[in-house]
Amino acid sequence: MGLEEVKEEILNNARNDSSKIIEEAKKEAQEIISKAKKRIDEYKEKLKNDKEKLIENLEKMKMAQARSEAKKLILDKKKEITNNVFEKVRQKLATLNDNERKKYLQNLIGKAKNEISIATVYCNKKDKKFLQDFKCEETDIIGGIIVENKDKSVRIDYSFETIMNNLKETSLQ
């Protein structure tokens, strides 16, 4: 074999080897690209799912917030209505005629007698005339009574204000 043939054979071998190496590099590059595309697609899908979950959670939060605000508005309106009603009741109680006042006071005295032995009755100036059977002292209430036993250890408050406040608290709950 001549130098030319050896040279030609070496070049052919080099071409074949380089073709094989290039082919393998192309396959390897294709695999890398394929894996990268697969990872990108998986990442896109994960982002899409995360975005949907985030939107769903935001919607739930906004709905909960809206419900809470609606409940607060309803409660505020209930309070306003209740306050208006109780103010009208207070005004009505303050302007009761004598027959109605006497009837209410007798009912309250009867209720208080069932609970304690009454020694002192606190009432407003207008109601003193209906409670002449008791030791009465004036106090600043629109009506009703506050009673105490002899040693002042027990006090029962049946003033209109206290009764209304108890009703108000119960109704607001």
Side-chain angles (χ1 to χ4, degrees):
M1 249 200 203
L3 191 56
E4 257 325 292
E5 289 175 350
V6 171
K7 179 178 153 188
E8 196 58 40
E9 189 178 320
I10 290 174
L11 282 174
N12 280 338
N13 284 341
R15 282 186 201 123
N16 286 338
D17 287 345
S18 69
S19 291
K20 285 180 185 176
I21 291 171
I22 289 172
E23 259 325 292
E24 284 178 17
K26 283 182 182 179
K27 281 183 185 178
E28 195 174 316
Q30 198 59 39
E31 283 179 24
I32 291 171
I33 290 171
S34 178
K35 285 180 182 177
K37 282 183 180 179
K38 184 178 177 183
R39 276 194 277 162
I40 288 171
D41 289 343
E42 288 171 355
Y43 186 70
K44 282 181 182 178
E45 186 64 28
K46 184 183 181 309
L47 284 177
K48 180 182 170 187
N49 291 338
D50 288 350
K51 179 181 80 172
E52 288 172 1
K53 285 179 185 176
L54 182 63
I55 290 170
E56 188 178 309
N57 287 339
L58 284 172
E59 286 173 349
K60 285 179 183 178
M61 283 174 38
K62 287 293 182 183
M63 287 302 293
Q65 184 179 7
R67 280 190 212 102
S68 176
E69 287 177 21
K71 282 181 184 179
K72 185 184 180 305
L73 287 173
I74 290 169
L75 181 62
D76 288 345
K77 276 296 176 190
K78 282 182 179 180
K79 279 183 179 178
E80 181 182 330
I81 291 167
T82 302
N83 287 337
N84 289 339
V85 167
F86 277 95
E87 181 56 32
K88 288 179 182 176
V89 169
R90 192 187 76 67
Q91 289 171 1
K92 175 99 171 146
L93 289 172
T95 60
L96 286 175
N97 66 43
D98 283 352
N99 288 335
E100 291 173 321
R101 290 186 90 73
K102 184 176 181 180
K103 187 174 113 182
Y104 285 131
L105 290 171
Q106 286 172 346
N107 287 336
L108 293 173
I109 285 288
K111 188 174 178 180
K113 279 183 180 179
N114 290 333
E115 296 180 41
I116 65 169
S117 176
I118 300 172
T120 307
V121 176
Y122 298 89
C123 62
N124 69 19
K125 187 177 183 177
K126 287 191 276 187
D127 294 339
K128 264 182 138 178
K129 62 186 173 194
F130 304 119
L131 302 165
Q132 293 175 354
D133 296 342
F134 300 95
K135 176 186 168 201
C136 289
E137 293 188 25
E138 283 184 33
T139 189
D140 189 24
I141 56 176
I142 61 169
I145 56 171
I146 300 169
V147 296
E148 283 182 338
N149 63 356
K150 190 174 185 176
D151 64 0
K152 298 184 186 248
S153 62
V154 178
R155 177 180 262 203
I156 299 174
D157 188 346
Y158 287 140
S159 65
F160 291 165
E161 290 94 331
T162 300
I163 294 169
M164 286 191 315
N165 285 338
N166 290 340
L167 284 172
K168 193 177 192 180
E169 286 178 27
T170 304
S171 69
L172 286 178
Q173 287 175 1

